[in-house]
Amino acid sequence: MTVLTHTRITPPLAHLDDLFPFQRDVFNTCMDYADNARDADAFNAAMAIAAKAINVDLPTSGCIVKCACPNCYSCDAIFDSASPGLREVEPSGPYNLPRYQCAACTDSHPAPHED
Ligand SMILES: [Zn+2]
Ligand SMILES: [Zn+2]
């Protein structure tokens, strides 16, 4: 008998579309700041405000990101960048923030091929 092992999916911290517009604005602004931050202090400050804005505790990784799934730009999951089951979609960008697909997206649209 074959036992299928399913990736255990960590639920996202929040969904961008569930937030109030002002929360979305603050979150998106903070993500931009973090992305372009020149030092760790600026990055951490932006992350702390982003987490506050969406009413979650900043995870110990210190980094929350929105799903950057190239297959469904509509995915609004916000999650801990250190949670399991994520896939990095743009490994070597010029920015600070990692581009990750959320675990649910990684599960539902696997990479067509890995280079
Ligand atoms: Zn996603
Ligand atoms: Zn997706």
PDB file of all heavy atoms in Angstrom, residues 67 69 72 75 77 79 101-102 104-105, ligand 1:
ATOM      1  N   CYS A  67       3.050  36.471  -0.871  1.00  0.00           N
ATOM      2  CA  CYS A  67       3.290  35.467  -1.898  1.00  0.00           C
ATOM      3  C   CYS A  67       3.690  36.131  -3.222  1.00  0.00           C
ATOM      4  O   CYS A  67       3.027  37.059  -3.678  1.00  0.00           O
ATOM      5  CB  CYS A  67       2.036  34.628  -2.093  1.00  0.00           C
ATOM      6  SG  CYS A  67       2.250  33.321  -3.300  1.00  0.00           S
ATOM      7  N   CYS A  69       3.985  34.395  -6.095  1.00  0.00           N
ATOM      8  CA  CYS A  69       3.733  33.329  -7.048  1.00  0.00           C
ATOM      9  C   CYS A  69       3.602  33.891  -8.460  1.00  0.00           C
ATOM     10  O   CYS A  69       2.795  34.782  -8.698  1.00  0.00           O
ATOM     11  CB  CYS A  69       2.452  32.597  -6.666  1.00  0.00           C
ATOM     12  SG  CYS A  69       2.015  31.312  -7.830  1.00  0.00           S
ATOM     13  N   CYS A  72      -0.120  32.874 -10.102  1.00  0.00           N
ATOM     14  CA  CYS A  72      -1.349  33.553  -9.750  1.00  0.00           C
ATOM     15  C   CYS A  72      -0.999  34.821  -8.985  1.00  0.00           C
ATOM     16  O   CYS A  72      -0.761  34.780  -7.800  1.00  0.00           O
ATOM     17  CB  CYS A  72      -2.286  32.667  -8.949  1.00  0.00           C
ATOM     18  SG  CYS A  72      -1.580  31.868  -7.507  1.00  0.00           S
ATOM     19  N   CYS A  75      -2.722  35.777  -5.580  1.00  0.00           N
ATOM     20  CA  CYS A  75      -2.540  35.184  -4.262  1.00  0.00           C
ATOM     21  C   CYS A  75      -2.145  36.266  -3.275  1.00  0.00           C
ATOM     22  O   CYS A  75      -1.233  37.038  -3.523  1.00  0.00           O
ATOM     23  CB  CYS A  75      -1.481  34.089  -4.280  1.00  0.00           C
ATOM     24  SG  CYS A  75      -1.283  33.320  -2.666  1.00  0.00           S
ATOM     25  N   ALA A  77      -1.580  35.744   0.133  1.00  0.00           N
ATOM     26  CA  ALA A  77      -1.089  35.204   1.394  1.00  0.00           C
ATOM     27  C   ALA A  77       0.142  35.965   1.873  1.00  0.00           C
ATOM     28  O   ALA A  77       1.042  36.271   1.095  1.00  0.00           O
ATOM     29  CB  ALA A  77      -0.756  33.726   1.229  1.00  0.00           C
ATOM     30  N   PHE A  79       3.109  35.576   4.774  1.00  0.00           N
ATOM     31  CA  PHE A  79       3.597  34.494   5.617  1.00  0.00           C
ATOM     32  C   PHE A  79       5.019  34.759   6.076  1.00  0.00           C
ATOM     33  O   PHE A  79       5.711  35.640   5.544  1.00  0.00           O
ATOM     34  CB  PHE A  79       3.512  33.154   4.857  1.00  0.00           C
ATOM     35  CG  PHE A  79       4.086  33.229   3.463  1.00  0.00           C
ATOM     36  CD1 PHE A  79       5.420  32.996   3.236  1.00  0.00           C
ATOM     37  CD2 PHE A  79       3.271  33.572   2.386  1.00  0.00           C
ATOM     38  CE1 PHE A  79       5.952  33.092   1.955  1.00  0.00           C
ATOM     39  CE2 PHE A  79       3.798  33.675   1.095  1.00  0.00           C
ATOM     40  CZ  PHE A  79       5.149  33.439   0.895  1.00  0.00           C
ATOM     41  N   GLN A 101       6.995  31.791  -3.146  1.00  0.00           N
ATOM     42  CA  GLN A 101       5.618  31.329  -3.273  1.00  0.00           C
ATOM     43  C   GLN A 101       5.191  30.809  -1.921  1.00  0.00           C
ATOM     44  O   GLN A 101       5.982  30.164  -1.227  1.00  0.00           O
ATOM     45  CB  GLN A 101       5.545  30.140  -4.240  1.00  0.00           C
ATOM     46  CG  GLN A 101       5.543  30.500  -5.684  1.00  0.00           C
ATOM     47  CD  GLN A 101       5.484  29.246  -6.537  1.00  0.00           C
ATOM     48  OE1 GLN A 101       6.224  28.303  -6.321  1.00  0.00           O
ATOM     49  NE2 GLN A 101       4.609  29.247  -7.505  1.00  0.00           N
ATOM     50  N   CYS A 102       3.946  31.055  -1.548  1.00  0.00           N
ATOM     51  CA  CYS A 102       3.455  30.488  -0.298  1.00  0.00           C
ATOM     52  C   CYS A 102       3.370  28.969  -0.445  1.00  0.00           C
ATOM     53  O   CYS A 102       3.414  28.443  -1.559  1.00  0.00           O
ATOM     54  CB  CYS A 102       2.103  31.091   0.081  1.00  0.00           C
ATOM     55  SG  CYS A 102       0.735  30.560  -0.949  1.00  0.00           S
ATOM     56  N   ALA A 104       0.925  26.935  -0.096  1.00  0.00           N
ATOM     57  CA  ALA A 104      -0.226  26.452  -0.858  1.00  0.00           C
ATOM     58  C   ALA A 104       0.052  26.561  -2.357  1.00  0.00           C
ATOM     59  O   ALA A 104      -0.277  25.660  -3.131  1.00  0.00           O
ATOM     60  CB  ALA A 104      -1.477  27.238  -0.482  1.00  0.00           C
ATOM     61  N   CYS A 105       0.660  27.660  -2.782  1.00  0.00           N
ATOM     62  CA  CYS A 105       0.991  27.829  -4.202  1.00  0.00           C
ATOM     63  C   CYS A 105       2.070  26.846  -4.631  1.00  0.00           C
ATOM     64  O   CYS A 105       1.999  26.287  -5.722  1.00  0.00           O
ATOM     65  CB  CYS A 105       1.478  29.251  -4.466  1.00  0.00           C
ATOM     66  SG  CYS A 105       0.131  30.421  -4.653  1.00  0.00           S
TER      67      CYS A 105
HETATM   68 ZN    ZN B   1       0.441  31.928  -2.837  1.00  0.00          ZN
END
